[in-house]
Amino acid sequence: MQSIASTARHCAPRLLALAVSLCFSSAALAGTSEQARIAELEKKLEKSMALIEQLSKRLQQVEANAAPATASADKAQAAADQATASAHAASEALVAQQVRIEQVESNLVQVADTSAKRREMGLPVHGFADVGYAYASKPLDNRKSGFVLGNFDLYLTPDLGDRVKTIIELAFEYDEKGNSVGTDVERLQMGYTFSDELTLWAGRFHTPYGYWNTAFHHGAQISPSIARPRLIAFEDQGGILPSHTIGAMASGTSRVEGGRLNYEAFVGNGSRLSGETGSKTLDYNAGKDDNNNKAVGANLRYTFGGVLDGVTVGLNALREQIDEENTVNKTRMNMTGAFVAVDRDNWEIISEYYKFRNQDLSGNTGKHSSWAGFAHLGYAINPVWTPFVRLEKAALDQTDNYFLGNVNGRSYQRQVLGTKYNLTNTTALKLEMNRTKELQPAGEFQYHEARAQVAIRF
Amino acid sequence: MTVISQLSRTLLALALSLPALAMAGDVIVISHSSLNMPAGDIRDAYIGEKQIEGGTKLVIFDNAALQKDFLDKVVQVDSAKYSSIWTKKGFREGLNPPAVKATDAEVIAAVKSTPGAVGYVSKAPADVKVVKKF
């Protein structure tokens, strides 16, 4: 292609020389025959024109061939660029894939490490502890004003596999007389979850009635107040209901229209009244049952959803035979109850009501009707400070052997005023005071108390 | 010419980043491939009210990098309340709170490899089962 172009360039001077020579030739032939000379010159001119035309065609042909060649060169360049870009993209994808593989490997290692660390770290232990100060205007249970060690409660929830659940709770506390530290296997329950609607438990558990007993129990830091309502006090503190049961329990939950339904149903050892006359308390027969009569009970509650989210209402029942130690007294306790709990919009409201229709099985006093209840109202004025007020009342029939034999089986009224201040999410400072009026056989007994408590959880 | 070129590049970069900006704050709940979990059960699962789905024990994962958005949008409680819920669930019912993972990648790896697993991420890869995008 270059040679053709070169030929074309060389032809141009020759044509110029030919034109010049034609001019000089015509002058030189002036003296010869005009006709012959003109004819010869015309022939030469025709040859020259033919040559010019031929060279012109070749030049056009050369140019025509040169254009596709340039286009081909451009295409080749574009293809080369595209190939480079593709190679670059492929390289980037390869790097990205390598990074991803390394990330996945890293994640797998982390998962394995976490698993291994969990095994190495063992089982997490949770717990509650509290200390405080108590003042009473009159001696109560040989107790005067002073500092008190509260409860040290440890609980574990080991993950034993797919469907197995376990709760192990140990409580350490001084006995009511303050003489020695008692260790209590507070809960030891093992369950198997068949579905959301059914978990079967066996062991020792918190008796499911009302809301407070299972919601807070020994968890002082999460409890709204320092002292439990007296009518649901622990057994060794003169409670009139067994707060623990040894037996079997079914529990479950199910979503229903507008909310969620939860239940617990149980059967366990019946309780007895034991201790010295005048200070007998409920013994829920943790070691062994004293008779063949079992306690049977259930707790059914409905938690609203939607606009009433945080509101729970419930019904509960308990039936068992209670024998009084060293006497012939036998009573069939028939308790039914209802409760409402609100935990929303800064409000903490818990109200429980219990109705007793106890039957005398050892004498001829028949059935006895009693009732007890409380209403606790707390309002969080900011995220850490929750003042509260609580009213308690029990109207207990003193011709009922069950209440007569229990150290705290007297009718009473109590007003409680206090506040809970969350120093942190796991530490609470509580102050409260109460005024109590109790109807004792000797007459009305009034007193008031003040308490302070620091409670932690971990 | 240089200014125009730079402006064009800037506009192009901005246009390309718009989808990413629109996705900021997205919470995508994902599950193990074998789990068919209704979106309506997500909240219950994360407050301990739902433990079994289709015969499979649920294994719940929290994502520390995205927890606040998730609690706001899905559980509709703050972190203090969420912690309180699980403290009470553990004490009352023996349930253990969700395991906490630090990043999307950790959650994805855990969910993929654990039958019954549920987690949430800000961006779900194509090979992960999406329960719902919030």
Side-chain angles (χ1 to χ4, degrees):
Chain A
M1 192 157 46
Q2 282 184 341
S3 63
I4 294 171
S6 175
T7 304
R9 284 195 299 272
H10 289 159
C11 286
R14 287 181 184 178
L15 289 173
L16 184 61
L18 180 61
V20 171
S21 66
L22 284 175
C23 292
F24 284 106
S25 297
S26 55
L29 292 173
T32 61
S33 174
E34 285 290 322
Q35 294 291 334
R37 287 176 184 175
I38 290 170
E40 190 179 355
L41 287 172
E42 284 177 349
K43 286 180 182 176
K44 288 181 180 178
L45 182 60
E46 285 175 2
K47 285 181 182 177
S48 296
M49 289 300 291
L51 181 61
I52 290 170
E53 191 174 349
Q54 188 180 357
L55 288 173
S56 178
K57 283 180 181 176
R58 288 196 65 182
L59 185 59
Q60 287 177 355
Q61 191 176 2
V62 167
E63 287 175 349
N65 290 336
T70 305
S72 297
D74 290 345
K75 282 182 182 175
Q77 183 63 40
D81 291 345
Q82 191 174 1
T84 305
S86 297
H88 187 61
S91 175
E92 284 183 345
L94 193 61
V95 170
Q97 193 169 9
Q98 184 64 32
V99 168
R100 190 176 170 190
I101 289 170
E102 287 173 0
Q103 183 70 53
V104 169
E105 286 176 349
S106 172
N107 288 338
L108 287 174
V109 169
Q110 285 178 1
V111 169
D113 284 350
T114 304
S115 225
K117 281 176 185 171
R118 276 189 179 168
R119 285 195 295 274
E120 288 170 6
M121 289 169 66
L123 180 65
V125 176
H126 311 282
F128 298 93
D130 64 277
V131 296
Y133 188 90
Y135 161 83
S137 61
K138 295 178 181 176
L140 300 170
D141 303 327
N142 297 319
R143 170 169 57 84
K144 296 184 179 177
S145 302
F147 293 95
V148 293
L149 274 181
N151 181 70
F152 176 44
D153 185 272
L154 299 174
Y155 72 94
L156 308 93
T157 55
D159 187 356
L160 300 178
D162 191 24
R163 307 292 186 99
V164 179
K165 288 196 284 192
T166 303
I167 305 175
I168 302 168
E169 184 179 5
L170 294 172
F172 303 88
E173 60 184 343
Y174 273 95
D175 62 23
E176 284 306 295
K177 293 182 179 178
N179 294 332
S180 61
V181 174
T183 305
D184 208 356
V185 182
E186 184 66 23
R187 279 185 293 176
L188 179 56
Q189 59 184 101
M190 301 167 192
Y192 187 86
T193 300
F194 293 90
S195 66
D196 286 328
E197 290 77 20
L198 179 63
T199 296
L200 287 181
W201 299 90
R204 172 171 164 166
F205 45 85
H206 295 157
T207 310
Y209 55 75
Y211 182 83
W212 194 295
N213 190 50
T214 51
F216 309 120
H217 214 87
H218 279 303
Q221 189 270 336
I222 59 174
S223 180
S225 63
I226 298 174
R228 288 163 64 102
R230 173 172 149 164
L231 63 102
I232 56 166
F234 296 121
E235 298 93 338
D236 58 358
Q237 296 172 355
I240 57 175
L241 288 166
S243 52
H244 306 83
T245 297
I246 317 295
M249 177 172 68
S251 67
T253 179
S254 180
R255 178 175 284 282
V256 294
E257 184 65 30
R260 180 165 286 280
L261 201 60
N262 295 274
Y263 78 93
E264 291 97 14
F266 67 95
V267 58
N269 292 348
S271 303
R272 60 177 173 160
L273 282 171
S274 66
E276 299 173 4
T277 302
S279 60
K280 288 181 179 174
T281 57
L282 271 178
D283 179 345
Y284 49 95
N285 288 319
K288 57 181 181 179
D289 205 351
D290 64 325
N291 58 37
N292 291 324
N293 296 296
K294 300 303 176 195
V296 179
N299 193 13
L300 181 68
R301 57 190 185 278
Y302 177 81
T303 301
F304 291 88
V307 295
L308 289 177
D309 188 31
V311 178
T312 301
V313 295
L315 298 170
N316 48 261
L318 173 62
R319 177 186 172 95
E320 64 175 306
Q321 179 180 319
I322 298 174
D323 298 348
E324 185 177 345
E325 197 174 62
N326 301 323
T327 72
V328 296
N329 293 337
K330 298 179 188 296
T331 303
R332 181 175 304 287
M333 177 207 285
N334 293 296
M335 180 277 285
T336 53
F339 71 90
V340 58
V342 178
D343 182 12
R344 56 169 289 163
D345 298 336
N346 296 351
W347 289 100
E348 186 170 41
I349 302 170
I350 304 165
S351 183
E352 300 182 12
Y353 171 83
Y354 299 94
K355 177 73 175 175
F356 296 89
R357 293 283 293 169
N358 295 345
Q359 183 175 4
D360 181 3
L361 299 176
S362 53
N364 55 4
T365 62
K367 290 186 177 179
H368 302 271
S369 180
S370 301
W371 69 271
F374 71 87
H376 178 102
L377 177 67
Y379 183 79
I381 58 176
N382 60 44
V384 296
W385 191 21
T386 307
F388 63 86
V389 61
R390 185 168 70 230
L391 304 176
E392 304 174 26
K393 184 169 183 177
L396 308 177
D397 187 345
Q398 295 304 295
T399 63
D400 183 338
N401 289 330
Y402 173 66
F403 292 119
L404 183 63
N406 191 312
V407 65
N408 271 352
R410 313 285 86 78
S411 297
Y412 81 99
Q413 294 179 47
R414 173 175 286 176
Q415 299 88 40
V416 185
L417 182 67
T419 186
K420 179 179 180 181
Y421 185 85
N422 290 318
L423 293 171
T424 68
N425 284 338
T426 55
T427 304
L429 172 64
K430 292 184 253 182
L431 300 168
E432 70 182 40
M433 59 185 74
N434 71 65
R435 189 178 68 174
T436 304
K437 185 166 63 176
E438 184 177 324
L439 292 176
Q440 293 190 345
E444 193 173 275
F445 177 59
Q446 291 190 45
Y447 60 93
H448 58 271
E449 298 171 285
R451 300 171 192 264
Q453 182 189 67
V454 180
I456 63 168
R457 71 173 161 88
F458 51 90
Chain B
M1 189 66 180
T2 305
V3 174
I4 293 173
S5 175
Q6 285 180 345
L7 185 61
S8 300
R9 287 178 185 174
T10 305
L11 288 172
L12 180 61
L14 185 61
L16 290 173
S17 66
L18 280 177
L21 289 173
M23 289 171 65
D26 283 347
V27 175
I28 303 167
V29 177
I30 60 174
S31 73
H32 187 264
S33 56
S34 65
L35 190 65
N36 292 314
M37 183 175 178
D41 287 341
I42 294 171
R43 184 176 186 271
D44 280 350
Y46 272 89
I47 58 173
E49 295 289 356
K50 181 83 180 166
Q51 300 170 53
I52 308 286
E53 179 57 56
T56 303
K57 176 78 164 56
L58 294 176
V59 182
I60 309 298
F61 291 102
D62 264 325
N63 183 343
L66 201 61
Q67 192 183 52
K68 186 178 183 308
D69 282 350
F70 177 75
L71 294 181
D72 285 346
K73 290 184 175 181
V74 183
V75 187
Q76 295 170 346
V77 296
D78 60 24
S79 59
K81 181 72 175 177
Y82 185 62
S83 173
S84 171
I85 287 170
W86 277 106
T87 296
K88 291 171 181 174
K89 277 286 175 187
F91 181 63
R92 296 168 187 174
E93 300 175 33
L95 299 181
N96 290 308
V100 180
K101 299 295 179 185
T103 63
D104 278 9
E106 285 188 21
V107 172
I108 290 165
V111 167
K112 277 182 170 178
S113 61
T114 311
V118 179
Y120 53 89
V121 292
S122 59
K123 187 182 284 186
D127 58 344
V128 168
K129 191 170 189 176
V130 172
V131 179
K132 189 175 180 181
K133 180 179 176 182
F134 293 90

